[in-house]
């Protein structure tokens, strides 16, 4: 296996996450044919980024679990898929840390 499908799967999960994040960073969502818009709070946007990152991490873990056995470092397909999962997991942790920082900064402003 040359690793090409693995790279594409990783790129696809990253692109999916980026498209969801870009949608939430726009700051508003259109409803009723674009006539009404509601503003998404920064906390809500951070929670949406966490949900998207969690989905990407779950999907990449499922791909790693579905890799041909053996699931060990001698199997390059598994290693590549597991590495992709590790990257997705780190993105999830980054999103969680960003939410925590946002919440702690909003709490400190209220004091």
């Amino acid at each position: 296996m040359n690793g090409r499908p693995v790279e594409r799967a990783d790129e696809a999960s990253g692109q999916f996450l980026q498209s969801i994040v870009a949608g939430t960073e726009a700051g508003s969502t259109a409803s009723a044919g674009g006539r009404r818009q509601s503003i998404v709070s920064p906390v809500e946007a951070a929670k949406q980024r966490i949900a998207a990152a969690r989905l990407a991490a779950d999907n990449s873990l499922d791909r790693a679990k579905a890799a041909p056995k053996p699931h060990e470092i001698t199997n390059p397909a598994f290693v590549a898929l597991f590495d992709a999962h590790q990257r997705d997991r780190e993105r999830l942790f980054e999103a969680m840390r960003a939410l925590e920082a946002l919440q702690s900064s909003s709490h400190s402003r209220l004091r």
Side-chain angles (χ1 to χ4, degrees):
M1 184 179 276
N2 67 1
R4 281 307 231 191
V6 173
E7 291 174 5
R8 288 188 191 128
D10 182 43
E11 288 173 8
S13 68
Q15 290 171 353
F16 173 71
L17 178 59
Q18 289 175 351
S19 69
I20 290 175
V21 169
T24 60
E25 287 176 347
S28 64
T29 57
S31 62
R35 287 178 275 150
R36 293 179 51 192
Q37 291 185 339
S38 62
I39 304 298
V40 176
S41 74
V43 171
E44 187 59 34
K47 287 179 181 179
Q48 290 175 356
R49 286 192 288 275
I50 288 173
R54 181 172 285 128
L55 178 63
D58 288 346
N59 289 340
S60 62
L61 178 60
D62 290 342
R63 286 191 299 273
K65 286 180 179 179
K69 296 194 185 265
H71 290 176
E72 57 188 36
I73 62 170
T74 60
N75 180 350
F78 173 73
V79 170
L81 289 168
F82 191 74
D83 286 346
H85 169 64
Q86 292 294 90
R87 287 188 298 276
D88 287 342
R89 236 179 72 164
E90 185 52 41
R91 288 183 195 114
L92 171 60
F93 294 148
E94 288 173 9
M96 293 169 78
R97 287 189 294 269
L99 174 62
E100 186 177 337
L102 184 63
Q103 288 174 332
S104 67
S105 70
S106 67
H107 287 293
S108 65
R109 280 187 269 159
L110 295 175
R111 291 181 188 173

